[in-house]
Amino acid sequence: SVATLKVKAFSGESARDINLALLENSEALVNKISDDTRKDVIDFANYQVETSQKKLEEADAALNKYRNGNNADDKNFVTHYQQLNIMRDTAEKELAASIDALQKARIDAQRKRLYIERIVQPTLPDYPLEPKRLLTIVSTLLGTLLIWGIVRMLLASAREHAE
């Protein structure tokens, strides 16, 4: 989308300087928001990868501990070993999905980056549009004359009423 920025100031130089400052601050804010959002998404994906790695390590450790600590001839051994093996396979698949999600998050974060692009650089105005001095002078004069007329009528009415 395109946004138009118009600045009213007492001089052309002030308007240009204010316009430049607004653009620079807007660019900095948009960049910060974009970077923070990108960082949050990637940090969350990294957290998921780390959690999945820990689950896989725990499943490997449980499987090795059970294999080394129990008798392989027991029927219950095979059943429990298969359950632990399924848990390990699930943890391994979860880790692969987390790594894939991290890669996608990095790609999306780069693609969805927000920025402000200046189409036209702020310049000094050719002629001032504000303040409208003649209009201000005329409206002030008319307002003053109106107030003066009302006051004169009130005074005349008060004198007439007093007589």
Side-chain angles (χ1 to χ4, degrees):
S1 63
V2 176
T4 303
L5 180 62
K6 293 182 181 181
V7 176
K8 293 181 180 181
F10 290 108
S11 69
E13 292 83 12
S14 296
R16 183 195 58 211
D17 293 345
I18 291 169
N19 200 338
L20 283 170
L22 286 172
L23 282 172
E24 289 169 3
N25 289 336
S26 298
E27 288 171 347
L29 179 63
V30 167
N31 288 341
K32 182 184 180 317
I33 290 171
S34 181
D35 290 343
D36 288 350
T37 303
R38 186 171 47 90
K39 183 181 178 299
D40 288 346
V41 168
I42 291 173
D43 285 350
F44 181 71
N46 278 327
Y47 171 76
Q48 287 181 322
V49 169
E50 290 171 7
T51 303
S52 298
Q53 284 175 335
K54 286 179 185 174
K55 284 183 183 179
L56 180 60
E57 290 169 3
E58 290 170 0
D60 277 338
L63 189 61
N64 288 333
K65 182 178 178 184
Y66 188 74
R67 190 176 344 159
N68 294 335
N70 291 305
N71 185 3
D73 296 333
D74 188 10
K75 284 187 178 183
N76 287 333
F77 175 84
V78 174
T79 305
H80 196 257
Y81 183 79
Q82 287 176 342
Q83 288 176 342
L84 289 173
N85 206 20
I86 290 171
M87 286 175 56
R88 187 204 174 283
D89 289 343
T90 303
E92 193 173 41
K93 289 176 184 176
E94 186 179 320
L95 176 60
S98 296
I99 291 171
D100 187 45
L102 174 61
Q103 291 171 344
K104 287 180 182 177
R106 286 181 177 154
I107 291 168
D108 283 349
Q110 288 299 326
R111 191 174 343 126
K112 293 180 181 178
R113 189 158 191 184
L114 299 174
Y115 59 92
I116 292 179
E117 185 174 335
R118 297 180 192 183
I119 297 172
V120 177
Q121 293 295 326
T123 60
L124 283 173
D126 295 333
Y127 57 91
L129 296 176
E130 299 284 337
K132 296 182 171 44
R133 289 182 177 89
L134 184 61
L135 179 64
T136 304
I137 292 169
V138 170
S139 62
T140 303
L141 180 63
L142 288 176
T144 305
L145 286 174
L146 182 67
I147 292 172
W148 179 73
I150 292 172
V151 169
R152 291 236 349 160
M153 285 178 48
L154 288 173
L155 288 175
S157 175
R159 274 192 225 124
E160 187 177 307
H161 186 68
E163 292 177 358

